[in-house]
Amino acid sequence: AVTPPPARHIFFITMADEEDPVCQLPQIKEACKTSACASTLSHYTECVERINAKGGGDCEPYYFDLLKCVDKCAIPQIGKILK
């Protein structure tokens, strides 16, 4: 697995012994996407598949619904890290 580069926001970086800094935000958002937002992700994925099959259109409303869901799920978890 490819590790994302360290974040510039020190609040989201954790340091393990002898390891490079790791930004927790991408992992939190990915976990939200596959758990709390699984239904929304499914709707977005279905839309993308329909659009690819038709060859035109967009899934912008579904994408923004997914982003909103992920943010709503991730914010409390990020808040715990910042405390």
Side-chain angles (χ1 to χ4, degrees), residues 29 33 37 40-41 43-45 47-48 58-71:
K29 285 188 169 190
K33 204 182 287 185
C37 301
T40 309
L41 176 61
H43 291 297
Y44 173 68
T45 304
C47 178
V48 169
D58 69 60
C59 296
E60 188 174 299
Y62 294 101
Y63 180 70
F64 285 115
D65 288 345
L66 178 61
L67 291 180
K68 183 178 174 181
C69 181
V70 169
D71 287 345

Side-chain angles (χ1 to χ4, degrees), residues 9-79:
H9 306 287
I10 61 170
F11 299 111
F12 300 115
I13 296 175
T14 57
M15 298 291 288
D17 295 338
E18 306 285 328
E19 292 183 16
D20 291 333
V22 177
C23 177
Q24 294 180 5
L25 188 58
Q27 291 88 358
I28 291 172
K29 285 188 169 190
E30 192 61 35
C32 285
K33 204 182 287 185
T34 57
S35 62
C37 301
S39 174
T40 309
L41 176 61
S42 175
H43 291 297
Y44 173 68
T45 304
E46 290 169 5
C47 178
V48 169
E49 291 170 358
R50 282 193 309 271
I51 295 302
N52 288 337
K54 289 181 181 179
D58 69 60
C59 296
E60 188 174 299
Y62 294 101
Y63 180 70
F64 285 115
D65 288 345
L66 178 61
L67 291 180
K68 183 178 174 181
C69 181
V70 169
D71 287 345
K72 185 177 178 181
C73 170
I75 286 171
Q77 296 178 45
I78 294 166

